[in-house]
Amino acid sequence: MTSVKNSGYRKNFSLIVLFLILISVLFILSLFLAYNFSKKFIENEFVSEKVKVLESSIKPYNDFFQNKLPEVSYYNGYLDSATTSRFVDTLLLQYPFVSQVNFYDAEVGSTPVTNGLNTGHFSFGPKYIYQFGSLVPADSVKIFSKSKPGKFSRGDDFMTLGFKLISYIETLDTTKAPNADELFSNFSIVRSNKITYLNIPRFEDLKVYKQMMRTKLKTSPVYQQDMLSFFLDPYKIKIINTKPKLYETIRIEPLTYDPLDTSSDYSTTEITLPGPFSDYKLYFSSANSFVDKAVFEYFLPIALIVLFFYAILVLIAFLIYRNLNINHRMFKLQYDFVNNLTHEFKTPVSVIKIAGNNIKSAASLTEREQQMYGRILDEEADKLNGLMNKLLAFTQIENKAIQLNQDEINIVDFIESTIESHQLKYPDFNFTYEVNGFTSFVTDPVLLGSLFDNLAENAYKYSPVSHKFLHVTAKLIKGKIVFRFTDRGIGIPAPEINNIFKKFYRIQNQYNQNGSVGLGLAFCKELVNFMKGEITVKSKVNQGTEFKIVLPYND
């Protein structure tokens, strides 16, 4: 039966080892896959997140293009140099990428102009041209005046947008109002590093412009138009790195920029700037070690989660192993207990049976034989009764099924009575005692007697023939009764000290060959605990053992 149990235990243990190997392989594989996933994810992020950087960086430009430019139309062509100067000052502070603004104070009329455009009875030309900017000298603000002869020198933007205006008016459908997007696209020009914008006239004015191109009006109306050219510097765009853990450096470079250093130590990507900045790009560069750090930071939480689940599985395997181990030890203890208990019962039962058979088979018995058989039967019955009482008492104490009696005892009389009973049983037992500090105390005499008997039996049993000795001291120390049981026996090995009070545990030595249930010291431990005391042990192999018991003192 034991071999079958051991075989099952070894099989279960092998399954646990196999389970640990399997989850360890899965753990390593999971970490490998998690790292590769993290690396792939960061590589994709490195390529895709540049769009968010671009969106954040050009957000001020989008605000300028969508909200600030249309403000020019609010003035309906009546901007002057002073108002424009203040407008530009605010603009330069709010949008640093605007480096200079040229202001064309223009008008539309039916009288032909020298510096401008003429088609039919429609004319479009500047009255004044101004330039504003932080680097523009104060004496160079006005660069053209209609009252002075000659052509203006910076008319490319004006002429280009003028042609666009004329083309738009010629194709204008006057039966329906144009939408905002149509007007905005036809009254602005986006070029490299420059946006030119003409304030949008009212729809009624556009109808008049169309009539002026076809026929001569009876009156000669004049309409004010304002045109502004915004010079943009892409290098003054503030780069907002929304992914500082991903991109080490971000620069604005020409679209044709090609780095000289193309080593594999760096990861790079790029994205073109929109609109007037389309000749430039955002250039992203990160050292591979920098990217690896981002990979590790992303991988670490995943690894910790995988490690957490791995630890749970290992813990489960450990708990299963521990339970198997405990069950195996419990089985062994129970098996040994049954064997030893059987042996303990078998010996007196065998003796009783032999004595009974001898009595039954004898024709007659002498008085001496009757006394001998009577003594044998009585002694063996006492052994059986003592063993049963010990098992019953142990169970009752362990389950708190009995009450602790409180009787006053004379300690000297109690110890001498114990000595007498054991010396009658073992004449070669040298039993001495010493009492200091008290003469009596209140306790349960039956339980204390069981405690003394068990420790005395152990002292006699586990001592060589020439060292059957036990010395008991009883002292009152700081309100506690301290008993010390000192023998000169074989001693207890240090590794076994922590096991001797365990139920059914037996130390393997020559003194246990004839059987021991393994309840004696466990019973003593339960007795002392039940009496609200403490028991400790000190021992040296081949020199002896001392048990120390501390009980409460009740006088």
Side-chain angles (χ1 to χ4, degrees):
M1 182 177 178
T2 305
S3 61
V4 173
K5 185 70 177 180
N6 286 334
S7 175
Y9 173 76
R10 285 193 294 270
K11 182 178 179 181
N12 291 330
F13 180 75
S14 299
L15 288 175
I16 292 173
V17 172
L18 183 63
F19 174 72
L20 285 174
I21 293 172
L22 178 62
I23 64 173
S24 298
V25 171
L26 289 175
F27 172 67
I28 295 170
L29 181 62
S30 299
L31 288 181
F32 176 75
L33 293 175
Y35 182 79
N36 283 343
F37 170 78
S38 301
K39 188 174 181 180
K40 192 68 177 177
F41 178 81
I42 292 299
E43 288 174 352
N44 293 335
E45 286 274 289
F46 188 85
V47 174
S48 62
E49 287 299 313
K50 62 186 177 183
V51 176
K52 292 183 179 179
V53 175
L54 176 64
E55 289 174 351
S56 298
S57 300
I58 65 168
K59 188 176 180 181
Y61 164 74
N62 290 334
D63 179 67
F64 162 76
F65 187 78
Q66 296 170 7
N67 301 316
K68 202 67 178 179
L69 279 184
E71 287 184 13
V72 176
S73 295
Y74 299 161
Y75 294 95
N76 293 318
Y78 290 98
L79 270 174
D80 57 25
S81 60
T83 305
T84 305
S85 178
R86 291 192 296 271
F87 174 78
V88 172
D89 288 342
T90 304
L91 196 70
L92 294 178
L93 289 174
Q94 193 172 356
Y95 306 103
F97 53 82
V98 179
S99 59
Q100 183 178 317
V101 178
N102 284 0
F103 168 49
Y104 300 85
D105 187 3
E107 60 184 11
V108 172
S110 58
T111 303
V113 295
T114 305
N115 297 302
L117 297 170
N118 299 287
T119 176
H121 298 282
F122 176 86
S123 64
F124 178 55
K127 296 183 295 180
Y128 302 99
I129 301 177
Y130 301 91
Q131 59 179 359
F132 302 98
S134 57
L135 300 178
V136 176
D139 58 354
S140 301
V141 173
K142 183 187 288 188
I143 56 177
F144 175 79
S145 175
K146 183 180 179 180
S147 60
K148 294 181 180 180
K151 295 184 179 181
F152 54 90
S153 58
R154 300 197 181 186
D156 289 345
D157 299 327
F158 184 88
M159 299 299 287
T160 302
L161 194 52
F163 282 121
K164 192 172 184 180
L165 172 64
I166 291 171
S167 299
Y168 173 70
I169 293 172
E170 286 178 345
T171 59
L172 178 66
D173 183 0
T174 57
T175 61
K176 61 179 182 179
N179 58 48
D181 292 338
E182 180 184 344
L183 289 172
F184 191 86
S185 63
N186 283 280
F187 283 80
S188 63
I189 297 176
V190 178
R191 291 181 173 178
S192 178
N193 301 338
K194 185 189 294 186
I195 297 176
T196 303
Y197 182 79
L198 180 67
N199 74 284
I200 301 172
R202 296 175 301 172
F203 185 51
E204 290 76 10
D205 294 340
L206 290 174
K207 290 179 180 180
V208 175
Y209 291 175
K210 192 173 183 72
Q211 291 176 2
M212 291 169 67
M213 289 183 184
R214 294 178 178 178
T215 61
K216 182 174 177 59
L217 301 179
K218 295 180 180 180
T219 59
S220 300
V222 176
Y223 295 90
Q224 300 299 316
Q225 290 287 157
D226 295 323
M227 182 187 294
L228 287 87
S229 289
F230 301 89
F231 294 84
L232 309 177
D233 184 356
Y235 292 106
K236 290 187 179 179
I237 294 175
K238 184 180 180 181
I239 298 173
I240 299 175
N241 188 357
T242 56
K243 292 290 182 178
K245 293 184 178 180
L246 196 60
Y247 302 117
E248 190 173 11
T249 60
I250 306 175
R251 308 190 303 271
I252 295 174
E253 298 288 354
L255 201 59
T256 57
Y257 172 76
D258 190 15
L260 296 176
D261 184 9
T262 57
S263 66
S264 58
D265 295 335
Y266 287 86
S267 298
T268 61
T269 187
E270 57 188 44
I271 187 170
T272 305
L273 291 169
F277 308 118
S278 57
D279 289 340
Y280 296 86
K281 62 186 176 183
L282 286 179
Y283 185 77
F284 302 80
S285 177
S286 297
N288 288 340
S289 58
F290 189 85
V291 177
D292 289 343
K293 184 179 178 182
V295 171
F296 179 77
E297 289 182 359
Y298 187 84
F299 165 73
L300 184 60
I302 301 176
L304 290 176
I305 293 172
V306 173
L307 180 61
F308 174 74
F309 284 106
Y310 174 73
I312 290 177
L313 293 175
V314 170
L315 178 62
I316 292 172
F318 170 74
L319 292 176
I320 294 173
Y321 167 74
R322 189 187 67 172
N323 289 339
L324 285 174
N325 216 24
I326 290 173
N327 290 337
H328 181 70
R329 290 203 305 269
M330 286 299 298
F331 171 81
K332 188 175 184 304
L333 288 172
Q334 291 172 0
Y335 181 80
D336 290 344
F337 171 71
V338 171
N339 281 343
N340 294 332
L341 190 63
T342 302
H343 179 81
E344 290 287 329
F345 275 103
K346 186 177 180 180
T347 300
V349 168
S350 299
V351 173
I352 291 172
K353 186 173 181 62
I354 292 170
N357 287 333
N358 288 341
I359 293 172
K360 184 173 66 174
S361 61
S364 62
L365 295 174
T366 64
E367 182 179 351
R368 181 174 175 276
E369 288 176 331
Q370 289 178 354
Q371 291 177 351
M372 179 186 71
Y373 286 128
R375 179 176 56 79
I376 291 173
L377 292 173
D378 188 57
E379 287 177 353
E380 298 306 319
D382 285 343
K383 287 182 180 178
L384 289 174
N385 186 55
L387 185 59
M388 293 302 298
N389 286 338
K390 182 180 289 187
L391 286 171
L392 179 62
F394 191 101
T395 303
Q396 289 176 332
I397 290 172
E398 196 175 38
N399 294 294
K400 306 293 188 294
I402 62 173
Q403 291 185 347
L404 186 67
N405 294 323
Q406 297 291 327
D407 297 330
E408 184 176 354
I409 64 169
N410 183 289
I411 191 61
V412 173
D413 293 342
F414 182 86
I415 294 175
E416 287 182 349
S417 175
T418 302
I419 292 174
E420 287 176 4
S421 64
H422 281 278
Q423 284 184 335
L424 282 174
K425 189 174 182 180
Y426 307 114
D428 60 336
F429 196 6
N430 186 7
F431 204 137
T432 61
Y433 74 94
E434 178 185 354
V435 177
N436 288 318
F438 72 108
T439 56
S440 64
F441 78 111
V442 177
T443 188
D444 188 317
V446 176
L447 299 184
L448 187 64
S450 296
L451 191 61
F452 271 62
D453 288 342
N454 274 279
L455 293 177
E457 286 286 343
N458 275 2
Y460 185 84
K461 181 178 180 180
Y462 296 105
S463 296
V465 176
S466 60
H467 293 84
K468 303 290 186 181
F469 171 82
L470 178 64
H471 180 70
V472 177
T473 63
K475 294 182 180 181
L476 179 62
I477 302 175
K478 296 181 180 180
K480 300 282 186 180
I481 300 296
V482 180
F483 294 101
R484 296 181 189 273
F485 295 78
T486 307
D487 63 38
R488 298 173 186 168
I490 61 174
I492 303 170
E496 304 284 1
I497 289 292
N498 294 327
N499 297 320
I500 60 173
F501 293 113
K502 292 180 180 178
K503 189 164 52 174
F504 306 133
Y505 187 83
R506 297 184 310 136
I507 299 175
Q508 298 301 320
N509 55 48
Q510 71 271 25
Y511 294 89
N512 276 329
Q513 296 302 312
N514 294 326
S516 172
V517 182
L519 284 176
L521 291 177
F523 182 56
C524 291
K525 177 75 171 178
E526 289 295 329
L527 279 175
V528 173
N529 289 340
F530 187 68
M531 297 169 73
K532 298 179 175 59
E534 296 177 1
I535 182 170
T536 56
V537 60
K538 293 190 299 183
S539 183
K540 290 184 178 181
V541 176
N542 298 323
Q543 294 186 28
T545 302
E546 179 185 275
F547 287 91
K548 177 183 174 183
I549 297 173
V550 180
L551 297 175
Y553 175 65
N554 299 312
D555 55 4

Short mmCIF file of all heavy atoms in Angstrom, two decimals, residues 60-74 87-88 90-92 94-95 184 197 230:
data_model
loop_
_atom_site.label_atom_id
_atom_site.label_comp_id
_atom_site.label_asym_id
_atom_site.label_seq_id
_atom_site.Cartn_x
_atom_site.Cartn_y
_atom_site.Cartn_z
N PRO A 60 -1.29 76.86 -34.83
CA PRO A 60 -1.32 78.32 -34.93
C PRO A 60 -1.48 78.80 -36.38
O PRO A 60 -2.17 79.79 -36.63
CB PRO A 60 0.02 78.76 -34.34
CG PRO A 60 0.41 77.64 -33.45
CD PRO A 60 -0.09 76.40 -34.12
N TYR A 61 -0.84 78.11 -37.33
CA TYR A 61 -0.99 78.50 -38.74
C TYR A 61 -2.43 78.31 -39.20
O TYR A 61 -2.99 79.17 -39.90
CB TYR A 61 -0.06 77.68 -39.62
CG TYR A 61 -0.43 77.76 -41.09
CD1 TYR A 61 -0.17 78.91 -41.84
CD2 TYR A 61 -1.09 76.71 -41.72
CE1 TYR A 61 -0.54 79.00 -43.17
CE2 TYR A 61 -1.46 76.78 -43.04
CZ TYR A 61 -1.19 77.93 -43.77
OH TYR A 61 -1.58 78.03 -45.07
N ASN A 62 -3.04 77.19 -38.82
CA ASN A 62 -4.43 76.95 -39.20
C ASN A 62 -5.35 78.02 -38.62
O ASN A 62 -6.29 78.47 -39.29
CB ASN A 62 -4.88 75.56 -38.74
CG ASN A 62 -4.22 74.44 -39.51
OD1 ASN A 62 -3.82 74.63 -40.66
ND2 ASN A 62 -4.09 73.28 -38.90
N ASP A 63 -5.05 78.41 -37.39
CA ASP A 63 -5.85 79.48 -36.78
C ASP A 63 -5.66 80.79 -37.55
O ASP A 63 -6.63 81.53 -37.79
CB ASP A 63 -5.42 79.65 -35.32
CG ASP A 63 -6.18 80.76 -34.62
OD1 ASP A 63 -7.41 80.62 -34.44
OD2 ASP A 63 -5.55 81.79 -34.29
N PHE A 64 -4.43 81.07 -37.93
CA PHE A 64 -4.13 82.27 -38.72
C PHE A 64 -4.86 82.25 -40.06
O PHE A 64 -5.49 83.23 -40.48
CB PHE A 64 -2.62 82.37 -38.93
CG PHE A 64 -2.20 83.28 -40.05
CD1 PHE A 64 -2.24 84.67 -39.91
CD2 PHE A 64 -1.78 82.75 -41.26
CE1 PHE A 64 -1.85 85.50 -40.94
CE2 PHE A 64 -1.39 83.57 -42.31
CZ PHE A 64 -1.43 84.96 -42.15
N PHE A 65 -4.81 81.11 -40.72
CA PHE A 65 -5.37 81.00 -42.06
C PHE A 65 -6.91 81.02 -42.04
O PHE A 65 -7.55 81.65 -42.89
CB PHE A 65 -4.87 79.71 -42.73
CG PHE A 65 -5.25 79.57 -44.17
CD1 PHE A 65 -4.56 80.27 -45.16
CD2 PHE A 65 -6.31 78.75 -44.55
CE1 PHE A 65 -4.91 80.14 -46.49
CE2 PHE A 65 -6.66 78.62 -45.89
CZ PHE A 65 -5.96 79.32 -46.86
N GLN A 66 -7.49 80.36 -41.06
CA GLN A 66 -8.94 80.21 -41.04
C GLN A 66 -9.66 81.35 -40.32
O GLN A 66 -10.82 81.64 -40.63
CB GLN A 66 -9.33 78.87 -40.38
CG GLN A 66 -8.83 77.66 -41.16
CD GLN A 66 -9.00 76.37 -40.37
OE1 GLN A 66 -9.60 76.36 -39.30
NE2 GLN A 66 -8.45 75.28 -40.90
N ASN A 67 -8.99 81.98 -39.35
CA ASN A 67 -9.67 82.99 -38.55
C ASN A 67 -9.11 84.40 -38.71
O ASN A 67 -9.87 85.37 -38.76
CB ASN A 67 -9.60 82.59 -37.06
CG ASN A 67 -10.25 81.26 -36.79
OD1 ASN A 67 -11.32 80.98 -37.31
ND2 ASN A 67 -9.60 80.42 -36.00
N LYS A 68 -7.75 84.49 -38.81
CA LYS A 68 -7.17 85.83 -38.85
C LYS A 68 -7.28 86.47 -40.24
O LYS A 68 -7.58 87.66 -40.36
CB LYS A 68 -5.69 85.76 -38.42
CG LYS A 68 -5.14 87.08 -37.92
CD LYS A 68 -5.82 87.47 -36.60
CE LYS A 68 -5.25 88.77 -36.05
NZ LYS A 68 -5.92 89.16 -34.79
N LEU A 69 -7.02 85.70 -41.28
CA LEU A 69 -7.11 86.26 -42.63
C LEU A 69 -8.50 86.84 -42.95
O LEU A 69 -8.60 87.94 -43.49
CB LEU A 69 -6.75 85.19 -43.67
CG LEU A 69 -5.26 84.92 -43.91
CD1 LEU A 69 -5.10 83.91 -45.03
CD2 LEU A 69 -4.52 86.19 -44.26
N PRO A 70 -9.59 86.12 -42.64
CA PRO A 70 -10.91 86.67 -42.97
C PRO A 70 -11.22 87.99 -42.27
O PRO A 70 -12.14 88.70 -42.69
CB PRO A 70 -11.88 85.57 -42.51
CG PRO A 70 -11.08 84.31 -42.58
CD PRO A 70 -9.71 84.72 -42.17
N GLU A 71 -10.47 88.32 -41.18
CA GLU A 71 -10.73 89.59 -40.51
C GLU A 71 -10.50 90.79 -41.45
O GLU A 71 -11.06 91.86 -41.25
CB GLU A 71 -9.82 89.73 -39.28
CG GLU A 71 -10.21 88.84 -38.12
CD GLU A 71 -9.35 89.09 -36.90
OE1 GLU A 71 -8.64 90.12 -36.89
OE2 GLU A 71 -9.39 88.27 -35.97
N VAL A 72 -9.63 90.60 -42.46
CA VAL A 72 -9.36 91.69 -43.41
C VAL A 72 -10.65 92.14 -44.09
O VAL A 72 -10.86 93.32 -44.36
CB VAL A 72 -8.31 91.24 -44.45
CG1 VAL A 72 -8.09 92.31 -45.50
CG2 VAL A 72 -7.00 90.88 -43.76
N SER A 73 -11.54 91.18 -44.36
CA SER A 73 -12.80 91.51 -45.05
C SER A 73 -13.74 92.32 -44.17
O SER A 73 -14.67 92.97 -44.69
CB SER A 73 -13.49 90.23 -45.52
OG SER A 73 -12.71 89.57 -46.50
N TYR A 74 -13.55 92.26 -42.86
CA TYR A 74 -14.46 93.00 -41.97
C TYR A 74 -14.37 94.51 -42.19
O TYR A 74 -15.32 95.25 -41.90
CB TYR A 74 -14.15 92.69 -40.51
CG TYR A 74 -14.32 91.23 -40.13
CD1 TYR A 74 -13.72 90.71 -38.98
CD2 TYR A 74 -15.09 90.36 -40.91
CE1 TYR A 74 -13.87 89.38 -38.63
CE2 TYR A 74 -15.24 89.03 -40.56
CZ TYR A 74 -14.62 88.55 -39.43
OH TYR A 74 -14.77 87.22 -39.10
N PHE A 87 -2.72 96.22 -36.74
CA PHE A 87 -3.14 94.85 -37.05
C PHE A 87 -1.92 93.94 -37.22
O PHE A 87 -1.87 92.82 -36.70
CB PHE A 87 -3.99 94.87 -38.32
CG PHE A 87 -4.37 93.51 -38.82
CD1 PHE A 87 -5.40 92.79 -38.24
CD2 PHE A 87 -3.69 92.94 -39.91
CE1 PHE A 87 -5.75 91.53 -38.73
CE2 PHE A 87 -4.03 91.68 -40.39
CZ PHE A 87 -5.07 90.98 -39.80
N VAL A 88 -0.91 94.43 -37.94
CA VAL A 88 0.31 93.64 -38.19
C VAL A 88 1.10 93.44 -36.91
O VAL A 88 1.65 92.35 -36.66
CB VAL A 88 1.16 94.30 -39.28
CG1 VAL A 88 2.52 93.60 -39.40
CG2 VAL A 88 0.44 94.25 -40.62
N THR A 90 0.00 93.18 -33.88
CA THR A 90 -0.67 92.09 -33.15
C THR A 90 -0.40 90.74 -33.80
O THR A 90 -0.15 89.73 -33.14
CB THR A 90 -2.18 92.35 -33.08
OG1 THR A 90 -2.42 93.62 -32.49
CG2 THR A 90 -2.88 91.27 -32.27
N LEU A 91 -0.43 90.75 -35.12
CA LEU A 91 -0.23 89.53 -35.89
C LEU A 91 1.17 88.95 -35.66
O LEU A 91 1.34 87.74 -35.46
CB LEU A 91 -0.43 89.84 -37.38
CG LEU A 91 -0.62 88.65 -38.33
CD1 LEU A 91 -1.98 87.99 -38.06
CD2 LEU A 91 -0.55 89.12 -39.77
N LEU A 92 2.18 89.81 -35.67
CA LEU A 92 3.56 89.35 -35.49
C LEU A 92 3.78 88.75 -34.11
O LEU A 92 4.56 87.81 -33.94
CB LEU A 92 4.53 90.51 -35.73
CG LEU A 92 4.58 91.07 -37.16
CD1 LEU A 92 5.56 92.24 -37.23
CD2 LEU A 92 4.96 90.00 -38.15
N GLN A 94 1.35 87.35 -32.22
CA GLN A 94 0.54 86.14 -32.07
C GLN A 94 1.03 85.00 -32.95
O GLN A 94 0.94 83.83 -32.57
CB GLN A 94 -0.91 86.48 -32.41
CG GLN A 94 -1.91 85.40 -32.01
CD GLN A 94 -3.35 85.87 -32.19
OE1 GLN A 94 -3.60 87.02 -32.55
NE2 GLN A 94 -4.30 84.97 -31.93
N TYR A 95 1.58 85.36 -34.12
CA TYR A 95 2.02 84.34 -35.06
C TYR A 95 3.46 84.65 -35.49
O TYR A 95 3.70 85.35 -36.48
CB TYR A 95 1.12 84.31 -36.30
CG TYR A 95 -0.34 84.15 -35.95
CD1 TYR A 95 -1.21 85.25 -35.98
CD2 TYR A 95 -0.86 82.91 -35.59
CE1 TYR A 95 -2.55 85.10 -35.65
CE2 TYR A 95 -2.20 82.75 -35.27
CZ TYR A 95 -3.04 83.86 -35.30
OH TYR A 95 -4.37 83.71 -34.98
N PHE A 184 -13.42 82.54 -50.83
CA PHE A 184 -12.10 82.54 -50.19
C PHE A 184 -11.02 82.06 -51.15
O PHE A 184 -9.93 82.62 -51.23
CB PHE A 184 -12.13 81.65 -48.94
CG PHE A 184 -10.91 81.79 -48.09
CD1 PHE A 184 -10.81 82.78 -47.13
CD2 PHE A 184 -9.83 80.92 -48.25
CE1 PHE A 184 -9.68 82.90 -46.34
CE2 PHE A 184 -8.70 81.04 -47.47
CZ PHE A 184 -8.62 82.04 -46.51
N TYR A 197 -3.98 87.94 -49.86
CA TYR A 197 -5.42 87.90 -49.59
C TYR A 197 -6.04 89.25 -49.93
O TYR A 197 -5.52 90.31 -49.56
CB TYR A 197 -5.66 87.58 -48.12
CG TYR A 197 -7.12 87.47 -47.74
CD1 TYR A 197 -7.84 86.32 -48.02
CD2 TYR A 197 -7.77 88.52 -47.09
CE1 TYR A 197 -9.18 86.21 -47.68
CE2 TYR A 197 -9.10 88.42 -46.73
CZ TYR A 197 -9.80 87.27 -47.03
OH TYR A 197 -11.12 87.16 -46.69
N PHE A 230 1.21 88.21 -46.99
CA PHE A 230 1.84 87.77 -45.74
C PHE A 230 3.04 86.90 -46.09
O PHE A 230 2.90 85.83 -46.71
CB PHE A 230 0.85 86.98 -44.89
CG PHE A 230 -0.39 87.75 -44.51
CD1 PHE A 230 -1.51 87.75 -45.34
CD2 PHE A 230 -0.43 88.48 -43.34
CE1 PHE A 230 -2.65 88.45 -44.99
CE2 PHE A 230 -1.58 89.19 -42.98
CZ PHE A 230 -2.69 89.18 -43.83
#
